[in-house]
Amino acid sequence: MVLFTGVACNPIDATLVATGSAEDKGFLWKIGDGDWKVELNGMSLFCFMHYGHEDSVSCLAFSADGQLLASGGVGATVRIWDSSGHHRHKLEDASSSSEVEFEWIRWHPRRPFALAGSTDFIASMKDAEKGVLFNTVMVDL
């Protein structure tokens, strides 16, 4: 039995859904004619193991135009995929601690910038097209 830990629906294509799991994997699901899924791992056309996550995938989000998917979780890494499941970029948290977990991801409404918040109170903005860290903000509680 797979324990799903995150879900995101494509805002443009209502039949495309992404899920994350506690088994270190992410999946793209096509809902409709004979439901199918592809594992996001970067090893094949649709594949999170080779280019993928090494720990639980707990947060996912599609960009506003539905073309990009960001996935994050335990392990201080956010991965960017296209909507077909091709791996685009790996973006690490500014702290680079493997104990850090990304808890949420949001996209800028008009730009390919992903904003991700982690358990070390750092919010990181990443340029998903260029694959670079754009800015970080640390919240002091």
Side-chain angles (χ1 to χ4, degrees), residues 34-80:
D35 299 346
W36 57 268
K37 69 178 182 186
V38 291
E39 184 177 342
L40 299 169
N41 69 17
M43 292 179 65
S44 71
L45 181 62
F46 292 108
C47 293
F48 283 166
M49 297 309 290
H50 177 65
Y51 288 118
H53 291 275
E54 297 173 5
D55 214 324
S56 299
V57 179
S58 57
C59 54
L60 303 107
F62 280 100
S63 59
D65 65 2
Q67 297 300 305
L68 297 174
L69 170 68
S71 60
V74 179
T77 302
V78 170
R79 300 228 177 233
I80 306 295

Side-chain angles (χ1 to χ4, degrees), residues 85-102:
H86 297 99
H87 183 260
R88 301 276 299 267
H89 300 289
K90 174 183 176 182
L91 305 164
E92 295 181 311
D93 182 73
S95 71
S96 297
S97 168
S98 62
E99 299 299 314
V100 172
E101 177 180 352
F102 279 101

